[in-house]
Amino acid sequence: MGRTPFCTAEGLKKGPWTAEEDQKLIAYIQKHGEGGWRSLPEKAGLQRCGKSCRLRWANYLRPGIKRGDFTSEDDQTIIELHAALGNRWAAIARHLPKRTDNEIKNYWNAHLKKRLATMSIDPVTQKPVGTTPGSSSRNSSTMGNAEPPMVHTESATKQESEPTLQQPTSRSTSASALLLNKLASRVTTLQCVDPLRACQIMQSMSSKGTGDGGATANNESAICRPTSNCQGNNISTALDTSAWLDIAETLTTPLNCLDLLETLPPELAECNASDDGGVSVDNYRIEDPVSDALSILDKNASAPASSFSSTSDRVLNNMASKLASLPCVDEIHDWQHNLPGPIQGDSDTTTTGDVAILDDISIDDTTYDMVGSPIFYNLNYLENEPEPSDPFYIP
DNA sequence: AAATTTTCCAACCGCTGTCTT
DNA sequence: CAAGACAGCGGTTGGAAAATT
C-alpha cells in the first residue's frame, strides 16, 4: 500500500522554469488560488508535476518573497538560529520574514558555513575550533539536543558596519549569549540564587563603592523578558563596570558564591541565616536583603525597577550584560558540560534519579525539572511564534 | 583565449505528517 | 481503521556562471 509517488507521470518537463511557464502558473494561481496541486498543471497548461509547481510558486513566484541581498543582520540571525536549531531550515526561515527555507539553506551552505570555517569557528557550535577540551561531547545541533536560542545580541553588541562574527575576536558572542541564557534560565528557577547573588552584589559594592552611575556603553547586552517594560533595546545597566567584572569573575565556577556567604559582613549575615544558624540556600525566604541590594542598584540604574518582572530578572540582566563578553563564559560552558544528569540539557532521556552536585548544592530530580523546563520552553519558543512571556533574550 | 575547476543555487528526490474520504 | 492526497521538510543534484590555470 502506501502512498503513490507524487510525480510519476511520464513526459513531464523537469529542470529550469521558463518565463512562459512562470506566467502560466502565476496566472492560474491568481485566478484560482493556491492548492489542488495535483490537478493544477493540467488545468494551467503546464507539463510539470504538481509538486514542481508548488515548489516553484512557494520559493520564487509567491508575492512578497525577498531574494538575495542578505544583510549582516540577516547573516547574524541565521548563524545564531542555526547554532540553536541546526539544519531546520523551515524553522529558521520563520524568523526571517519573506525568506524561504530553500534560500536560507543554500545561503548557509554556500556562504555562511564557509565564512565561519575561514574564521576557524566551528559552524555547528560557533566556538573557535580547538579551544574546548573534550569537544567530542559537544552536540551536533540536531533536533534532540539543540541549545535554547534565548539570547539575541544583535543590536547591542554588533558593530555598525560589520557583522559580529567578522570581528577578529576569538570568541563568538552568540555562543556566549546562548550559554548565558541557558545559565539564566537555570539560575532563575533556583530561587536560592537570588539571595546569594544579592549578597554578592552588596559585598562587591561595599568593597568597591557604587561607582559614579555612568551607564556602560559597550558590551551592553541585556537579558529581559519580552513582557516587561524593557522590551527592545531600551535596557541599560548602570552599575560600575569594574564591579560587574569582579562579580562575573567570581562566577567562573557557578554557585561558588556560596563561599562568599561565609565572608559577608555581619549586617548582611541574616540574609542567609537558616533556623539552625547555618547557611541556607534551598529555603529562600529572606527578601529584604535582596531589596536592599537592588535599591542600591537603583540609585545608579537608568532602568527603573519596574522594568523587570522579578528581582532575579534584574540581577540576571545586569550580570548577563557583563558576563557576555568575558572569557570565563567558556569556562562555565566547560564546567556545565561536565555536569552529570539532564541539567546539561542534551536529552530528555537522561532524566534519571541521579543527583548532581553543583559545588555544595545538591540538585534533585524536582530541581532538574525546574531547571530543564525553561530550556525546553525556550527551544519551543523559537520554533513557534514568539510568546510575550518567559523567554529571555538579549536585544 | 581556451580548458579546467570551483562555486552557486534552482530544482528535484524521498520521506514524514496531517487531513480527508 | 485504511488508504489516498498533498503539504511540508531536509538532503542532494545538475548545470550554468564564475574563477582559476
Side-chain angles (χ1 to χ4, degrees), chain A residues 225-247:
Chain A
R225 291 178 185 276
T227 48
S228 67
N229 295 335
C230 62
Q231 275 204 29
N233 54 9
N234 57 344
I235 278 296
S236 66
T237 57
L239 182 61
D240 178 71
T241 301
S242 60
W244 278 114
L245 294 177
D246 286 350
I247 294 172

Side-chain angles (χ1 to χ4, degrees), chain A residues 35 37 68 98 135 145 157 267 281 285 290 292 337 365 369:
Chain A
W37 297 106
K98 301 180 181 179
S135 60
N145 54 12
T157 60
E267 62 270 24
V281 294
R285 295 286 185 273
V290 177
D292 290 343
H337 271 282
D365 284 345
D369 291 340

